[in-house]
Amino acid sequence: MIYTTIVNFSEDRKRLNGSRLRFVVLIKQISAVKPVRHQYQQRGRRLRWGKRRQCIHLSSLTLPYSRSSRYALPSSSCCVLFSIPWYTMVHADGSVLQTFEYFRKHGLQGLKNIWPAPSLIAWKIIACFGAFEAILQLALPGKRVEGPISPNGNIPVYKANGLLAYAVTLVTYLGLWWFGIFNPAVVYDHLGEIYSALIVGSLVFCILLYLKGHLAPSSSDSGSLGNFIIDFYWGMELYPRIGKNFDIKVFTNCRFGMMSWAVLAVTYCIKQYEMNGGVSDSMLVNTVLMLVYITKFFWWEAGYWSTMDIAHDRAGFYICWGCLVWVPSIYTSPGMYLVNHPVHLGTQLAVLILISGLLCIYVNYDCDRQRQVFRRTNGKCLIWGKAPSKIVASYKTEQGETKTSLLLISGWWGVSRHFHYVPEILAAFFWSVPALFNHASFLPYFYVIFLIILLLDRAKRDDDRCSSKYGKYWKMYCDKVRYRVVPGIY
């Protein structure tokens, strides 16, 4: 459904007026649903820089079944197990023990009982949101930005209008609520159904991406390893597009995933306000920190297009399903928990957590800023008031051309090779910790635990990729910057 909506908007810009009319009709239909005031019930292969090696000549016989099942298992288990955290936070008083006791009594039938089937209202909400973000991505003005050159020599071109789309989205969402056109509490009341619909729709979306990679790749940066499961999981294309201007990864990662994070953060605040007649200081701290972080992301969005997610990881289940389902459901979970479990922090503790979180977000931003300035000026800049130390590294592209890159070993990048992950993890902790530990539940911190695993794995994959790309120069870099993430520890 999301894929069909995107195609409709990208094929013919003249259809936008009619689409806007249908969008308004859908909004009115959704608004007719009355929100529940208090719904609370007890019931690889080795990666080469930026690209997997073309291994089309390999047959599936060269890849053992156990390797294929390694990717099939997380794909299927993610779809099944997502409902457990949602059920626990919304319907089981946030108690993991209560949920465990429920499954102990009912077994697998219990999982089936709590599974929220996708509903028509859920599909309408997703369709409206996806269509609205697709329109903004195509229609809003933005600076032309070139991404890093790909292994096959392609240079992707983007339109940097993310921050404007972010502002328009939040203003529109709050405006619909303020003027009584649409109540965001409806989204919370149908959250489980929305997540289920996202799972189904995103799986179909990933299958269509797989077929597109086989039948109509957007560039030469595509190919197959000869195994369906691995190709489906890791993706077929590096830069899939619909037409010339609609970049699919920008839509899934930025305009749907990150944007839905911000929209849901606001939704949880509004729902708590309608339930309790006010918003707790814990919810305010959580929401402010998340919105500041997301604002930072869209401010820096052009830099994100040079990261591993966009420039090196292909568009498959791993990236796209994660952004379409995992981000809206897991990344927003601290706020989801606080809706039914408001905590009074007090002014001093709330301010302390807020300032600590803001500081971490700033350091995370400053890490990325240093690297961007260093690259933009070709090393002719100041880092912490001094000329930066660097290593001039040469490497060969897939076509055999010799090129050079500069490796920064000053500022934050001289502390550890991926120090920017440290403040990112700490920022996530600070927007989760307003939940405290009053309900003996680790669920508000599930995202932090997941993020630690994700970023440590990403740091290792990035090191492996750079080692393969730069060879002896990367070894020289590692000799100068010894620690991968946490200085003095790892």
Side-chain angles (χ1 to χ4, degrees):
M1 176 176 249
I2 296 174
Y3 184 85
T4 304
T5 303
I6 295 171
V7 173
N8 287 341
F9 284 117
S10 61
E11 284 184 347
D12 190 353
R13 295 292 294 276
K14 292 181 180 179
R15 298 180 189 174
L16 291 181
N17 290 334
S19 298
R20 288 193 186 100
L21 178 60
R22 291 193 294 273
F23 177 76
V24 172
V25 172
L26 280 175
I27 283 289
K28 290 181 177 179
Q29 290 175 349
I30 296 171
S31 300
V33 180
K34 294 183 179 180
V36 179
R37 290 291 174 183
H38 187 60
Q39 179 178 340
Y40 189 75
Q41 305 173 11
Q42 292 293 331
R43 47 159 230 145
R45 294 289 180 189
R46 187 180 183 186
L47 292 178
R48 195 166 180 182
W49 76 279
K51 177 176 179 287
R52 283 184 287 120
R53 294 183 179 179
Q54 296 285 344
C55 295
I56 302 176
H57 63 281
L58 291 177
S59 70
S60 59
L61 295 177
T62 64
L63 298 167
Y65 177 76
S66 59
R67 183 172 174 81
S68 299
S69 62
R70 169 184 165 192
Y71 301 106
L73 180 60
S75 301
S76 57
S77 61
C78 284
C79 297
V80 173
L81 297 180
F82 103 96
S83 60
I84 296 178
W86 164 79
Y87 171 81
T88 303
M89 285 186 277
V90 176
H91 296 297
D93 197 29
S95 171
V96 176
L97 293 178
Q98 184 173 316
T99 301
F100 175 79
E101 184 64 21
Y102 175 82
F103 285 118
R104 190 181 68 82
K105 290 181 179 179
H106 298 87
L108 291 178
Q109 182 62 35
L111 184 61
K112 181 179 178 181
N113 292 341
I114 69 169
W115 182 272
S119 63
L120 180 60
I121 186 70
W123 287 116
K124 287 181 178 180
I125 290 172
I126 293 169
C128 286
F129 179 72
F132 185 69
E133 294 306 324
I135 292 173
L136 296 184
Q137 184 175 335
L138 285 171
L140 291 180
K143 181 182 177 182
R144 182 181 184 274
V145 175
E146 291 185 353
I149 186 170
S150 73
N152 279 350
N154 299 309
I155 301 177
V157 177
Y158 304 98
K159 183 164 62 171
N161 58 6
L163 188 62
L164 181 57
Y166 175 64
V168 170
T169 297
L170 288 186
V171 169
T172 301
Y173 194 61
L174 290 171
L176 291 173
W177 173 58
W178 183 262
F179 291 106
I181 301 172
F182 175 71
N183 192 336
V186 172
V187 176
Y188 179 85
D189 296 336
H190 295 271
L191 204 54
E193 302 155 36
I194 291 172
Y195 289 156
S196 291
L198 281 175
I199 286 176
V200 176
S202 300
L203 282 173
V204 174
F205 182 83
C206 290
I207 292 172
L208 292 174
L209 273 182
Y210 170 81
L211 295 175
K212 179 185 180 301
H214 268 294
L215 302 175
S218 299
S219 73
S220 56
D221 289 295
S222 61
S224 170
L225 275 176
N227 182 280
F228 165 75
I229 293 177
I230 294 178
D231 286 342
F232 176 77
Y233 187 82
W234 287 114
M236 296 286 294
E237 296 185 79
L238 186 60
Y239 297 115
R241 295 195 171 192
I242 299 174
K244 183 179 178 181
N245 299 317
F246 194 87
D247 190 283
I248 292 176
K249 282 172 75 176
V250 170
F251 176 78
T252 57
N253 295 27
C254 306
R255 307 310 166 81
F256 195 99
M258 293 298 294
M259 206 73 77
S260 65
W261 185 356
V263 167
L264 286 173
V266 173
T267 298
Y268 298 148
C269 262
I270 293 174
K271 179 62 179 180
Q272 191 183 80
Y273 174 80
E274 294 204 350
M275 287 172 54
N276 303 327
V279 179
S280 64
D281 54 4
S282 55
M283 178 66 88
L284 285 175
V285 171
N286 165 268
T287 306
V288 168
L289 287 178
M290 287 199 292
L291 290 180
V292 169
Y293 177 83
I294 298 166
T295 303
K296 185 269 302 182
F297 172 85
F298 283 109
W299 175 271
W300 168 78
E301 186 184 41
Y304 174 69
W305 294 332
S306 298
T307 65
M308 178 179 284
D309 285 354
I310 300 294
H312 303 290
D313 288 339
R314 295 188 174 196
F317 180 91
Y318 173 77
I319 284 290
C320 294
W321 192 92
C323 290
L324 294 173
V325 179
W326 201 248
V327 171
S329 60
I330 300 302
Y331 284 40
T332 67
S333 57
M336 186 197 310
Y337 177 87
L338 286 170
V339 171
N340 287 323
H341 307 93
V343 177
H344 178 66
L345 298 174
T347 303
Q348 290 184 342
L349 183 56
V351 171
L352 177 62
I353 295 173
L354 181 63
I355 292 175
S356 300
L358 292 174
L359 179 62
C360 290
I361 294 171
Y362 171 76
V363 173
N364 177 251
Y365 164 76
D366 197 49
C367 290
D368 293 320
R369 184 195 61 81
Q370 285 184 356
R371 182 169 56 181
Q372 279 187 288
V373 171
F374 177 77
R375 287 174 175 173
R376 187 172 63 248
T377 61
N378 202 27
K380 298 176 182 179
C381 61
L382 296 179
I383 302 291
W384 287 354
K386 300 178 182 178
S389 299
K390 59 182 179 291
I391 293 175
V392 181
S394 63
Y395 63 93
K396 286 190 176 182
T397 66
E398 292 285 329
Q399 288 74 33
E401 300 178 62
T402 299
K403 295 184 177 293
T404 60
S405 287
L406 299 181
L407 306 179
L408 175 62
I409 53 177
S410 293
W412 300 112
W413 301 94
V415 177
S416 68
R417 299 194 293 275
H418 303 278
F419 181 77
H420 57 311
Y421 291 156
V422 175
E424 184 163 353
I425 292 170
L426 289 175
F429 171 78
F430 283 118
W431 68 58
S432 301
V433 80
L436 300 181
F437 302 94
N438 295 349
H439 297 273
S441 175
F442 72 90
L443 284 180
Y445 305 93
F446 179 78
Y447 168 64
V448 180
I449 297 170
F450 161 76
L451 188 65
I452 291 171
I453 297 170
L454 173 73
L455 295 184
L456 292 183
D457 172 72
R458 182 176 295 178
K460 183 182 184 306
R461 290 195 298 121
D462 197 32
D463 272 13
D464 291 343
R465 180 185 64 83
C466 290
S467 178
S468 175
K469 177 180 178 180
Y470 296 119
K472 64 179 181 179
Y473 299 103
W474 185 252
K475 187 178 184 304
M476 291 169 55
Y477 177 70
C478 292
D479 289 340
K480 291 182 177 293
V481 185
R482 294 176 52 199
Y483 296 101
R484 180 175 289 165
V485 180
V486 183
I489 299 177
Y490 175 72

